[in-house]
Amino acid sequence: MIKEKGILFVLSGPSGVGKGTVRKALFEHDTNLKYSISMTTRNRREGEQDGVDYFFRTHDEFREMIDHNRLLEYAEYVGNYYGTPRQYVEEMIEAGHDVFLEIEVQGAMQVKKNFPQGVFVFLIPPSLEELKNRIQDRGTESEDLIASRLQEARNEIEMMEAYDYVVVNDSVENAVKKVQAIVQGEHCKKERVAKQYKALLEVEK
Amino acid sequence: MIKEKGILFVLSGPSGVGKGTVRKALFEHDTNLKYSISMTTRNRREGEQDGVDYFFRTHDEFREMIDHNRLLEYAEYVGNYYGTPRQYVEEMIEAGHDVFLEIEVQGAMQVKKNFPQGVFVFLIPPSLEELKNRIQDRGTESEDLIASRLQEARNEIEMMEAYDYVVVNDSVENAVKKVQAIVQGEHCKKERVAKQYKALLEVEK
């Protein structure tokens, strides 16, 4: 029997939206998801294990990863590199596991470029909706404030364009349910199931 | 606040796969789904209500519906017409309800042509998988039987091409969960949420 491949799910969104909280709650429920392990050049802290908490590498090793395009994304932060190694993600997916990557917007856009077959979920705050309602319902805000808030909202909407799904984080419970539905629904996509069936048929032709 | 539109979900699949059972179980759980009401020329039976069980129409009225393209699909069966009126579906969707249509494969293909924005779910029997496994695992079947079974499987796969999702009906409970995930996931699609947000922004430009 041909095993169905896993899927890379990328959860992103503006800072402060609650990505980490949603990810933690999601992992309390779901056991088939593998959390993507990052690679870093920062020193290993006590109790941290290589290949579990992070893949620990030297600066030279990390730069070689960059040069050989072996990272789905990377960034420098306070003098150290952090990134997502492509190989780990690909191995998990081949083994039939979904990989889950929680990441800020810039990193997600790099992943989108390097791994477009991923499924990209954008978490947005409910305050964007509330903001619209407020602006719409009353006319008391200063012109400048309205303009600046709308600009912020527009920037967020532009970022949404690159994503497949948008989840409003009105409560952690609701957001987790929606992400779980997205994961399950994606596995029912015809393209994924049809490939599996076709592969089986091809074998016997 | 702009209300999100509903979605037309079309559940189809080969006869005998268990579409009706899945649909009934689904409606025991889900209250936002509206079941699409069919139009028919057959006589009203005792206890049946127009606009609830069916829209009851004369043959002339039904033919006028056909001529004016007011049906998403129709078929003739034992001298009577049966069809899906477009107006009911559109009104429910505008009001924010999801509409659910359970229908055989030929009808689903008509709906696909007339209402391509619908979401099409194909229910397949697990015996297709089993069949593959059997054919693959043992070499005792006659050549003819293997060929005929594979042909049947291939025909089913060709029908799958027109659908968005494929759900294996291995158990009613699993199939219902998957359809529910598909419904919830579709509502998180960026295109649907983004339209809503953009519409709100446009108003205030």
Side-chain angles (χ1 to χ4, degrees):
Chain A
M1 189 189 156
I2 289 177
K3 202 174 178 184
E4 202 185 342
K5 278 190 190 181
I7 301 169
L8 173 66
F9 291 94
V10 178
L11 181 70
S12 190
S15 71
V17 73
K19 297 187 286 291
T21 315
V22 169
R23 187 251 303 164
K24 271 178 212 142
L26 186 68
F27 274 78
E28 281 166 18
H29 293 91
D30 210 312
T31 50
N32 189 43
L33 283 175
K34 297 279 174 191
Y35 190 66
S36 170
I37 300 169
S38 293
M39 187 169 281
T40 185
T41 57
R42 82 150 165 77
N43 288 328
R44 191 190 328 191
R45 292 174 194 148
E46 204 169 314
E48 285 184 339
Q49 279 184 276
D50 185 42
V52 176
D53 299 291
Y54 281 97
F55 297 108
F56 294 99
R57 294 293 182 270
T58 66
H59 273 76
D60 282 351
E61 287 169 339
F62 203 104
R63 274 190 215 101
E64 211 185 300
M65 295 287 289
I66 297 172
D67 291 345
H68 290 82
N69 196 27
R70 292 193 184 132
L71 297 164
L72 296 182
E73 57 82 33
Y74 72 95
E76 220 180 329
Y77 178 70
V78 204
N80 276 306
Y81 284 122
Y82 294 81
T84 303
R86 175 189 288 273
Q87 195 186 347
Y88 176 81
V89 170
E90 286 181 346
E91 282 174 2
M92 288 297 117
I93 284 174
E94 282 300 322
H97 298 291
D98 293 332
V99 181
F100 196 85
L101 178 58
E102 175 225 322
I103 195 169
E104 35 64 59
V105 175
Q106 295 306 320
M109 291 302 89
Q110 288 185 54
V111 179
K112 173 89 180 173
K113 199 179 137 226
N114 290 315
F115 206 84
Q117 64 268 49
V119 173
F120 293 79
V121 181
F122 197 71
L123 198 65
I124 52 168
S127 55
L128 183 62
E129 261 184 324
E130 284 164 26
L131 175 67
K132 298 300 122 33
N133 289 337
R134 271 211 307 272
I135 291 172
Q136 223 163 0
D137 289 349
R138 62 189 198 197
T140 59
E141 303 273 26
S142 81
E143 290 284 310
D144 277 4
L145 188 59
I146 291 176
S148 125
R149 284 193 176 170
L150 279 179
Q151 192 48 51
E152 200 188 306
R154 285 203 182 91
N155 290 347
E156 286 197 325
I157 287 169
E158 274 166 34
M159 290 192 289
M160 278 163 55
E161 284 301 323
Y163 289 76
D164 302 297
Y165 294 95
V166 175
V167 168
V168 181
N169 191 15
D170 51 357
S171 81
V172 176
E173 199 193 343
N174 281 346
V176 166
K177 273 187 195 159
K178 284 178 182 174
V179 172
Q180 287 175 320
I182 290 165
V183 169
Q184 198 170 12
E186 277 290 324
H187 278 285
C188 295
K189 282 250 179 99
K190 180 243 312 174
E191 296 83 352
R192 302 192 199 279
V193 186
K195 258 183 218 161
Q196 196 185 350
Y197 276 87
K198 275 183 182 165
L200 282 164
L201 287 175
E202 292 298 323
V203 170
E204 289 300 313
K205 244 180 188 167
Chain B
M1 190 189 154
I2 289 177
K3 202 175 175 182
E4 203 186 341
K5 278 189 189 181
I7 302 170
L8 173 65
F9 291 94
V10 179
L11 181 71
S12 190
S15 73
V17 73
K19 297 186 286 291
T21 314
V22 169
R23 186 253 301 164
K24 270 178 212 138
L26 186 68
F27 275 78
E28 281 166 17
H29 294 91
D30 211 314
T31 50
N32 189 43
L33 284 175
K34 298 277 173 191
Y35 191 65
S36 171
I37 300 169
S38 293
M39 188 168 280
T40 185
T41 57
R42 81 151 166 75
N43 288 329
R44 191 187 334 189
R45 292 172 195 150
E46 205 170 313
E48 285 184 337
Q49 277 184 277
D50 185 43
V52 176
D53 299 291
Y54 281 98
F55 296 108
F56 294 99
R57 295 290 182 272
T58 66
H59 273 76
D60 282 350
E61 287 167 339
F62 203 103
R63 276 191 215 100
E64 213 185 298
M65 295 287 288
I66 298 171
D67 292 344
H68 290 84
N69 196 27
R70 292 192 184 132
L71 298 163
L72 296 182
E73 57 80 33
Y74 72 95
E76 219 180 329
Y77 180 70
V78 203
N80 277 306
Y81 285 122
Y82 295 81
T84 302
R86 176 189 288 274
Q87 194 186 349
Y88 175 81
V89 170
E90 287 182 345
E91 282 173 2
M92 288 296 115
I93 283 173
E94 283 298 323
H97 297 292
D98 292 333
V99 181
F100 195 86
L101 179 58
E102 174 225 323
I103 193 168
E104 36 64 58
V105 175
Q106 296 306 320
M109 290 302 90
Q110 287 185 54
V111 179
K112 173 89 179 173
K113 198 179 137 225
N114 291 314
F115 205 83
Q117 63 270 49
V119 173
F120 294 79
V121 182
F122 197 70
L123 199 65
I124 53 169
S127 54
L128 183 61
E129 262 184 322
E130 283 165 27
L131 176 66
K132 296 302 119 39
N133 289 337
R134 269 209 310 269
I135 291 172
Q136 225 162 359
D137 289 348
R138 61 188 199 199
T140 59
E141 303 273 25
S142 82
E143 291 285 310
D144 277 5
L145 189 56
I146 291 175
S148 128
R149 285 191 177 170
L150 278 179
Q151 191 49 52
E152 201 188 308
R154 286 203 181 91
N155 291 345
E156 286 195 327
I157 286 168
E158 273 167 36
M159 290 192 287
M160 278 164 55
E161 284 301 323
Y163 289 76
D164 302 298
Y165 295 96
V166 174
V167 168
V168 180
N169 191 15
D170 51 356
S171 82
V172 176
E173 198 192 344
N174 281 346
V176 166
K177 272 187 197 158
K178 284 178 182 176
V179 173
Q180 287 175 320
I182 290 165
V183 169
Q184 197 170 12
E186 277 290 324
H187 278 285
C188 296
K189 281 253 180 95
K190 180 245 308 175
E191 297 82 355
R192 301 193 199 279
V193 185
K195 257 183 218 159
Q196 197 185 348
Y197 276 87
K198 275 184 181 163
L200 282 163
L201 287 176
E202 292 299 323
V203 171
E204 290 301 312
K205 246 184 187 165

